[in-house]
């Protein structure tokens, strides 16, 4: 087996390796043909995801992109429209899939600083029932949004708003559990306001592959049909679902550790008061840095020589996760300071 030098990787919480125990759960999973509905481990994961999210039903899919796409396809038809954040993952980072594959028009709006979409702005973006316009069908929120958990009070308002206006409400909850852990609420406190919720198992939860879309039985049934059409019907997928079950059973509470490390990272860097770096406050597992008088790409190069990975950009997003320790945070702070001086 080839061995790789270990990197301290802050680029994303998607970079984690499955733990030994997760791998052993995968290796011993009972499997069957899931397209026939006969994989007991996939069925167990879907039942667990439905229970945890407080929804009737759930479907296991290959990725968060596929899960969000299925949601858009079940809520909207050709010529319909959904309202979404300008920086929303479904709009900006999923290849325009809803438009390409669903003929669904996005109506992006700017996020507020707290990651919410102002409901007054959403209201004015809803098109009148008139053949000039696409039919506005769905509001899509993201939680966490850029590492920020959306306020519960806002979610309630958004839920009421959608009830009043007849829009459906979808949550891109790629990092839903980071939000619930940060706010110290049961995840159902968040999910109760949404018709459908997409949850990534392969981010902070540490599974190698997969997402779940949760919602009412009818919509999830429709999603199952779309998943097959998109080529997402997997066979002995229980091998992968086992990792998802393991993650939901063992890796939710520990997100607190990731949040504590992100807070420590942010607080320590802020306290340094270095003239070349501005540091955001961390609310979950993300810290954003911006550099002054030094190129982020040069900083990234210097850090890479020290086996530290970051993604350079105007704003550098650092993400804490399962494979980063307290020592790694300390090493990063030391090496970043050295790279800036
Ligand atoms: C990662 C992510 C997704 C999509 O997940 P993939 O599994 O990478 O397709 C969706 N929404 C948000 C907010 C994400 O961070």
């Amino acid at each position: 087996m080839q061995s790789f030098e270990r990197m301290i990787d802050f680029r994303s919480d998607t970079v984690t390796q499955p733990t030994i125990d997760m791998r052993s759960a995968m290796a011993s999973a009972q499997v069957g043909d899931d397209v026939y509905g006969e994989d007991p481990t996939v069925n167990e994961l879907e039942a667990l995801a439905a229970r945890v999210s407080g929804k009737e039903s759930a479907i296991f899919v290959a990725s968060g992109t596929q899960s969000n796409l299925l949601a858009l396809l079940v809520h909207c038809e050709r010529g319909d429209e959904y309202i979404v954040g300008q920086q929303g993952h479904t709009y900006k980072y999923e290849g325009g899939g809803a438009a390409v594959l669903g003929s669904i028009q996005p109506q992006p709006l700017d996020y507020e600083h707290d990651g919410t979409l102002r409901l007054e702005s959403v209201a004015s973006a809803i098109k009148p029932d008139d053949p000039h316009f696409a039919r506005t069908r769905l509001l899509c929120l993201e939680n966490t949004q850029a590492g920020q958990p959306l306020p519960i009070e806002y979610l309630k308002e958004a839920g009421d708003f959608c009830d009043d206006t007849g829009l459906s409400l979808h949550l891109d909850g790629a990092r839903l559990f980071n939000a619930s852990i940060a706010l110290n609420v049961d995840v159902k406190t968040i999910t109760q306001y949404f018709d459908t919720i997409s949850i990534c198992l392969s981010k902070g939860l540490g599974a190698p592959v997969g997402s779940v879309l949760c919602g009412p039985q009818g919509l999830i049934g429709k999603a199952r049909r779309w998943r097959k059409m998109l080529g997402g019907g997997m066979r002995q997928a229980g091998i992968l679902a086992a990792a998802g079950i393991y993650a939901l059973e063992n890796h939710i509470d520990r997100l607190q550790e990731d949040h504590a490390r992100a807070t420590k990272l942010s607080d320590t860097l802020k306290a340094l008061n270095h003239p070349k770096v501005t540091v955001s406050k961390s609310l979950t597992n993300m810290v954003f840095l911006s550099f002054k008088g030094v190129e982020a790409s040069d900083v990234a190069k210097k850090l890479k020589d020290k086996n530290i990975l970051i993604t350079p950009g105007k704003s550098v997003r650092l993400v804490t996760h399962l494979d980063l320790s307290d020592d790694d945070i300390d090493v990063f702070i030391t090496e970043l300071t050295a790279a800036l001086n």
Side-chain angles (χ1 to χ4, degrees):
M1 203 162 85
Q2 195 180 350
S3 77
F4 295 92
E5 191 156 16
R6 179 174 178 266
M7 302 298 279
I8 300 177
D9 196 340
F10 281 96
R11 293 171 302 166
S12 178
D13 46 7
T14 54
V15 300
T16 55
Q17 297 281 321
T19 62
I20 305 254
D21 288 344
M22 181 180 276
R23 285 171 194 259
S24 97
M26 295 172 76
S28 62
Q30 278 190 41
V31 297
D33 189 329
D34 181 52
V35 173
Y36 290 121
E38 290 172 2
D39 188 302
T41 310
V42 171
N43 293 342
E44 185 188 333
L45 170 64
E46 291 177 346
L48 175 61
R51 196 160 66 241
V52 169
S53 65
K55 300 295 164 189
E56 253 173 22
S57 191
I59 182 171
F60 179 51
V61 297
S63 67
T65 298
Q66 190 172 71
S67 179
N68 281 326
L69 176 60
L70 292 180
L72 293 165
L73 289 170
V74 301
H75 288 295
C76 302
E77 293 182 1
R78 187 167 188 236
D80 289 350
E81 170 183 87
Y82 81 111
I83 298 175
V84 60
Q86 195 70 250
Q87 311 297 326
H89 202 280
T90 54
Y91 171 58
K92 193 170 174 187
Y93 299 99
E94 296 179 7
V100 175
L101 300 163
S103 300
I104 301 161
Q105 163 173 296
Q107 167 63 73
L109 299 176
D110 287 332
Y111 281 121
E112 298 300 299
H113 289 302
D114 63 358
T116 61
L117 291 172
R118 225 165 66 91
L119 296 175
E120 292 78 5
S121 311
V122 176
S124 37
I126 297 176
K127 314 290 181 288
D129 181 7
D130 173 314
H132 286 90
F133 303 114
R135 293 162 300 207
T136 312
R137 282 285 152 82
L138 175 72
L139 173 60
C140 177
L141 299 175
E142 195 171 294
N143 200 6
T144 59
Q145 203 287 314
Q148 307 178 97
L150 304 188
I152 302 291
E153 186 51 35
Y154 171 77
L155 299 182
K156 182 178 185 326
E157 285 164 20
D160 291 345
F161 173 87
C162 287
D163 287 345
D164 293 347
T165 51
L167 297 189
S168 298
L169 186 55
H170 172 67
L171 181 64
D172 177 354
R175 297 187 177 84
L176 173 66
F177 292 103
N178 294 93
S180 69
I181 290 287
L183 298 175
N184 195 21
V185 297
D186 185 275
V187 80
K188 292 194 261 318
T189 307
I190 297 172
T191 57
Q192 62 179 323
Y193 302 111
F194 294 88
D195 297 296
T196 50
I197 301 114
S198 168
I199 303 169
C200 284
L201 302 166
S202 58
K203 300 240 159 124
L205 295 183
V209 176
S211 282
V212 282
L213 178 67
C214 308
Q217 200 142 29
L219 288 183
I220 299 304
K222 268 173 89 177
R224 209 168 279 285
R225 189 178 176 79
W226 279 116
R227 184 186 68 173
K228 188 76 182 81
M229 202 189 296
L230 292 169
M234 298 184 282
R235 303 294 177 171
Q236 285 71 32
I239 294 273
L240 301 173
I245 294 169
Y246 186 88
L248 288 171
E249 288 178 347
N250 298 282
H251 288 172
I252 295 178
D253 291 340
R254 65 151 306 286
L255 290 171
Q256 250 154 8
E257 297 173 31
D258 298 342
H259 296 185
R261 289 190 182 109
T263 300
K264 183 184 169 203
L265 179 58
S266 158
D267 289 353
T268 313
L269 286 177
K270 267 180 197 281
L272 287 180
N273 238 328
H274 198 289
K276 288 186 188 162
V277 60
T278 312
V279 187
S280 76
K281 187 173 156 58
S282 168
L283 300 174
T284 55
N285 67 335
M286 290 182 194
V287 178
F288 295 85
L289 306 183
S290 53
F291 296 111
K292 211 169 48 196
V294 53
E295 289 296 327
S297 53
D298 291 338
V299 177
K301 256 188 231 125
K302 285 185 183 168
L303 290 175
K304 194 167 178 198
D305 290 339
K306 304 290 180 186
N307 291 345
I308 297 169
L309 297 179
I310 63 169
T311 307
K314 214 162 91 72
S315 169
V316 174
R317 186 188 73 167
L318 305 174
V319 190
T320 55
H321 53 71
L322 196 57
D323 288 352
L324 289 178
S325 65
D326 290 328
D327 282 351
D328 293 334
I329 305 295
D330 294 339
V331 170
F332 175 79
I333 291 164
T334 307
E335 296 300 345
L336 176 69
T337 314
L340 292 175
N341 293 336

